[in-house]
Amino acid sequence: PGFKPSTPVVFCGLYPLDANDYESLRDSLNKLKLNDSSFTFENESSVALGLGYRCGFLGLLHLEIIQERLKREFGLDLVVTPPSVVYEITKTDLKKITLHNPADWPERTKIKEIKEPWIKATIFTPDTFLGSIIQLCTDKRGIQKDINFTGSRVMLEYFLPLNEVIFDFHDRLKSCSKGYASFDYEILEHRIGNLDKVSILVNGENVESLSFISHKDKAVYRGRLICKKLKESIPKQLFKIAIQAAIGSKIIARET
């Protein structure tokens, strides 16, 4: 009594590069789970990547450590999908679906409303870092609920969309507080959000595994960021290759 299981902050899919490694990936995850109770996983399948696991981590560093351990200790080559959360979509025929993977996103004309998970976040920090933490929460579409001072410590309570938290919130919080701020959260509810799916096109071909769901205000920024990174990581050719980010048929970012 008094202890509760730790809550995963980041979810992503782990798929074996070779489909024959699926069994050994399952065994490896079970072995890791024995000495790391904060790590969670469940079965998942993808059209492009085959059978794999949807895993929950405490943060991006935790994700990197698990990935590296699977590679070094168990000799597994893995494909890691971008981190994501679960959305609730109500279609125009009033049918409700839960969306784990951007690949299952229905046509825009068939969507009535989209709900995203929100969390109630509690942040403890020394008061010297208060300004930069409030700025970070505002950037992440946060709504301030409460602020309490006890001596030189501050307790902030914020409502935040989980979609904004999973990518780099924890890392940026630690950076702007020099590691002193601590962060805990609980899932609150699903709220209606102005969201859309951003597709990534390489040479005119839609690469489904790279698509992601984003708030419309952040879509252009994140689309540009991914196009820029892909431009650096794709081997150069003797002809032009267009790398584009698109919402539906509208191109929002491009690199060559």
Side-chain angles (χ1 to χ4, degrees):
F3 288 95
K4 61 177 182 179
S6 49
T7 324
V9 178
V10 174
F11 290 90
C12 78
L14 294 181
Y15 294 87
L17 211 54
D18 181 0
N20 300 326
D21 289 340
Y22 179 71
E23 297 290 327
S24 50
L25 174 60
R26 187 186 61 200
D27 297 342
S28 309
L29 292 175
N30 278 314
K31 284 175 185 171
L32 281 181
K33 176 81 179 148
L34 288 173
N35 63 10
D36 185 352
S37 60
S38 58
F39 168 61
T40 62
F41 64 93
E42 59 187 43
N43 295 31
E44 186 183 52
S45 65
S46 149
V47 179
L49 302 167
L51 293 170
Y53 289 92
R54 164 128 323 232
C55 306
F57 306 92
L58 294 181
L60 294 174
L61 176 65
H62 191 204
L63 164 78
E64 283 168 27
I65 290 168
I66 295 282
Q67 193 184 338
E68 204 58 39
R69 282 189 68 183
L70 287 166
K71 192 176 171 183
R72 290 185 192 181
E73 293 175 30
F74 303 101
L76 291 167
D77 285 320
L78 299 170
V79 176
V80 182
T81 64
S84 67
V85 297
V86 179
Y87 299 93
E88 287 180 1
I89 292 178
T90 308
K91 296 170 87 172
T92 44
D93 58 4
L94 300 181
K95 188 182 169 190
K96 292 191 176 184
I97 55 169
T98 53
L99 191 82
H100 293 260
N101 196 327
D104 305 328
W105 185 265
E107 281 179 43
R108 186 72 226 178
T109 50
K110 291 181 180 172
I111 298 172
K112 188 184 177 200
E113 64 177 30
I114 308 150
K115 288 186 174 182
E116 59 178 333
W118 279 66
I119 60 169
K120 180 185 163 195
T122 310
I123 301 165
F124 284 97
T125 175
D127 54 11
T128 44
F129 308 116
L130 183 61
S132 53
I133 288 172
I134 288 176
Q135 182 61 51
L136 170 64
C137 292
T138 308
D139 289 348
K140 296 288 185 187
R141 299 192 281 133
I143 301 163
Q144 192 181 97
K145 182 180 177 262
D146 202 3
I147 181 166
N148 288 308
F149 290 86
T150 46
S152 63
R153 305 275 297 172
V154 184
M155 187 184 89
L156 285 162
E157 280 190 2
Y158 262 91
F159 294 140
L160 288 155
L162 187 56
N163 182 18
E164 297 284 351
V165 172
I166 56 165
F167 273 92
D168 57 355
F169 181 82
H170 202 260
D171 297 5
R172 282 180 61 188
L173 179 70
K174 289 291 180 188
S175 301
C176 68
S177 66
K178 296 181 181 172
Y180 284 108
S182 64
F183 166 69
D184 188 27
Y185 80 95
E186 56 185 85
I187 298 285
L188 202 62
E189 61 189 355
H190 279 72
R191 293 185 185 176
I192 296 170
N194 187 14
L195 304 161
D196 226 323
K197 175 187 170 182
V198 180
S199 305
I200 303 294
L201 303 136
V202 178
N203 213 11
E205 294 276 324
N206 186 0
V207 185
E208 202 53 80
S209 347
L210 291 174
S211 59
F212 60 91
I213 293 161
S214 168
H215 192 269
K216 282 187 179 172
D217 297 347
K218 301 277 181 80
V220 176
Y221 168 74
R222 281 184 56 195
R224 277 187 189 146
L225 209 65
I226 288 181
C227 289
K228 210 169 179 182
K229 278 188 179 175
L230 280 174
K231 182 189 172 181
E232 289 160 14
S233 57
I234 292 175
K236 286 187 168 60
Q237 306 294 328
L238 293 171
F239 50 90
K240 286 182 178 180
I241 293 177
I243 301 161
Q244 297 163 311
I247 294 177
S249 56
K250 185 188 173 190
I251 303 295
I252 56 169
R254 178 193 164 119
E255 293 281 343
T256 306

